[in-house]
């Protein structure tokens, strides 16, 4: 189930996207209060935007603008809205997105071709280990996508290893959709209850929310721990509510494939210029085929690297590497630039670390400080020094680390209204 456009030449893909872009600009100019204003204030004639390169003539859209003018982005009357979702509000107030019937159909198509990318077919059964409620787009997207693909689906929701295993043993799913660290909890539960994970029939897991790989696409510590116990394929999928589109790995697991009929991608530097190929920059997206709230040059806040080499699967689309980090969560610490995912990877090396939270703050002289609160099975001075040494070896610096009660950490990780665990608390102004 590879769409023809994904197997077309780079030039054919570009020409196709430029036709779609012209349609989007005309639609926004007619229906979007926000973009009409932007075009007028900046004297932008939309027919002057002929190519992908011409997008640079249009100002970027930021999360702040999306929050401040949320309603102005809506392009349809409220009578056409079928589903309301909100962003998770990881960095700031949540933003509301309104989806029409066509938008839900597009969302289903996106996930169907994304799951097919990872090898899921009609004969498969997929167990959904994430919430489908609480205004969460991802859960409904996964359900609609599996349904469109024609595969079976088991909606278990987040957490509860006992119920997950009950469903796995009862319904024999072949794929799981889960946060990778939760797969470790499933392995632990199975070991305690004499369940043979490798006799379960599960072939693979489509993993959300946490990176599986290093920048060279080798398995990171978390993935290695999973695969050491459970012989399943791990596929990374990356998306956000604003994109309405996913980047999912194929069987070669060399980054998430772009769907060119659904999204235009730019990777920009701090001055909103395209980065040099292979450089890290901020993922900036233009959505195609959305009715309710299309976005033009929206800066996602995620720092990524693109890979444009040909993939053995036959797709000629750009692939996104693992997210390096959130731009707003970049830390300058003792002369070193850090992002939280690099710290996650180090902490995942230690089996004694049960849970943790990373706190970022400013000190008295205005520079960044890091405090990592850890719950450990054996909170000893030896473990503390071992973790610090590991940080120095891998990142050249060691943050402050303090042991805390597991209940206290879990309380910080799961505040009220949160749909997913929070691992970073940024106290900087």
């Amino acid at each position: 189930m590879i769409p023809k456009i994904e197997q077309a030449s780079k030039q054919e893909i570009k020409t196709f996207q430029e036709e779609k872009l012209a349609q989007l600009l005309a639609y926004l100019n007619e229906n979007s209060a926000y973009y009409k204003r932007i075009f007028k204030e900046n004297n932008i004639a939309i027919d002057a935007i002929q190519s992908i390169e011409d997008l640079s003539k249009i100002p970027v859209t930021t999360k702040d603008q999306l929050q401040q003018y949320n309603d102005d982005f809506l392009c349809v009357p409220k009578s056409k809205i079928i589903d309301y979702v909100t962003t998770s509000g990881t960095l700031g107030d949540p933003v509301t997105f309104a989806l029409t019937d066509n938008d839900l159909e597009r969302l289903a198509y996106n996930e169907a071709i994304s799951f097919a990318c990872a090898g899921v077919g009609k004969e498969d059964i997929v167990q959904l280990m994430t919430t489908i409620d609480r205004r969460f787009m991802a859960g409904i997207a996964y359900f609609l996508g599996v349904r469109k693909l024609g595969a079976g689906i088991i909606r278990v929701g987040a957490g509860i290893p006992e119920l997950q295993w009950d469903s796995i043993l009862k319904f024999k799913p072949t794929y799981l959709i889960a946060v990778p660290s939760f797969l470790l909890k499933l392995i632990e539960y199975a070991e305690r209850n004499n369940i043979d994970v490798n006799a379960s029939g599960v072939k693979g897991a489509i993993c959300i929310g946490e990176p599986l790989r290093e920048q060279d696409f080798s398995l990171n510590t978390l993935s290695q721990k999973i695969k050491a116990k459970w012989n399943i394929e791990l596929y990374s999928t990356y998306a956000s509510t604003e994109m309405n589109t996913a980047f999912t790995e194929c069987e070669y697991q060399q980054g998430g494939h772009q769907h060119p009929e659904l999204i235009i991608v730019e990777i920009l530097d701090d001055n909103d210029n395209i980065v040099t190929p292979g450089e890290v920059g901020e993922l900036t997206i233009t959505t195609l085929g959305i009715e309710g709230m299309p976005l033009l040059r929206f800066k996602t806040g995620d720092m990524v690297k693109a890979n444009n080499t040909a993939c053995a699967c036959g797709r000629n689309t750009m692939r996104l590497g693992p997210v390096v980090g959130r731009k707003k969560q970049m830390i300058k610490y003792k002369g070193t630039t850090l992002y939280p995912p690099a710290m996650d990877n180090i902490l995942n090396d230690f089996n004694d670390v049960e849970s943790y939270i990373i706190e970022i703050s400013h000190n008295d002289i205005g520079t960044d400080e890091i405090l990592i609160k850890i719950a450990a099975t054996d909170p000893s001075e030896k473990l503390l020094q071992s973790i610090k040494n590991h940080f120095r070896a891998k990142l050249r610096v060691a943050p402050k680390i303090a042991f805390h009660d597991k209940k206290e950490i879990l309380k910080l990780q799961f505040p009220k209204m949160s749909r997913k665990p929070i691992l970073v608390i940024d106290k900087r102004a």
Side-chain angles (χ1 to χ4, degrees), residues 18-19 21 25 46-54 57:
E18 286 168 351
E19 289 170 7
L21 176 61
L25 290 168
I46 58 166
D47 52 10
I49 311 297
Q50 298 285 325
S51 66
I52 302 290
E53 291 78 12
D54 287 340
K57 298 173 183 176

Side-chain angles (χ1 to χ4, degrees), residues 178-181 207-215 217-224 226 234-238 249 303 321-325 339-345 348 356 423:
V179 175
S181 55
C207 293
I208 63 169
E210 295 168 346
L212 291 174
R213 307 191 197 288
E214 305 287 3
Q215 289 301 316
F217 301 117
S218 61
L219 293 175
N220 65 13
T221 305
L222 181 56
S223 301
Q224 288 173 23
I226 295 164
L234 300 175
Y235 300 92
S236 180
T237 187
Y238 160 75
E249 288 183 327
M303 304 301 287
V323 174
V324 176
Y339 288 97
M343 292 185 269
D344 295 333
N345 210 20
N348 285 330
Y356 62 88
L423 298 180

Side-chain angles (χ1 to χ4, degrees), residues 191-356:
E191 287 175 341
R192 286 198 309 270
N193 291 275
N194 299 315
I195 297 168
D196 182 355
V197 293
N198 292 306
S200 64
V202 175
K203 295 188 295 187
I206 294 155
C207 293
I208 63 169
E210 295 168 346
L212 291 174
R213 307 191 197 288
E214 305 287 3
Q215 289 301 316
D216 64 358
F217 301 117
S218 61
L219 293 175
N220 65 13
T221 305
L222 181 56
S223 301
Q224 288 173 23
K225 280 187 166 182
I226 295 164
K227 286 184 72 72
K229 298 281 182 78
W230 203 347
N231 185 26
I232 55 175
E233 291 299 321
L234 300 175
Y235 300 92
S236 180
T237 187
Y238 160 75
S240 71
T241 304
E242 296 91 349
M243 295 193 298
N244 281 231
T245 315
F247 293 77
T248 305
E249 288 183 327
C250 68
E251 65 269 32
Y252 293 95
Q253 299 168 355
Q254 296 288 298
H257 280 279
Q258 175 194 10
H259 299 312
E261 59 195 306
L262 302 179
I263 198 163
I264 294 171
V265 169
E266 299 171 273
I267 297 179
L268 304 181
D269 63 19
D270 288 342
N271 299 313
D272 297 337
N273 297 316
I274 299 283
V275 299
T276 308
E279 289 293 307
V280 173
E282 185 171 359
L283 179 66
T284 303
I285 55 99
T286 294
T287 54
L288 300 173
I290 287 177
E291 271 186 340
M293 289 178 69
L295 294 176
L296 185 60
R297 303 199 81 207
F298 174 74
K299 297 187 85 173
T300 62
D302 288 327
M303 304 301 287
V304 298
K305 194 191 291 186
N307 190 313
N308 287 296
T309 57
C311 184
C313 72
R315 293 173 179 83
N316 278 327
T317 50
M318 183 217 74
R319 302 189 309 283
L320 281 186
V323 174
V324 176
R326 300 285 290 161
K327 188 176 183 181
K328 281 190 178 178
Q329 289 178 345
M330 186 181 83
I331 309 157
K332 289 277 190 184
Y333 187 66
K334 296 180 180 177
T336 300
T337 299
L338 299 175
Y339 288 97
M343 292 185 269
D344 295 333
N345 210 20
I346 288 169
L347 293 164
N348 285 330
D349 258 341
F350 292 89
N351 291 328
D352 286 337
V353 174
E354 291 184 290
S355 57
Y356 62 88

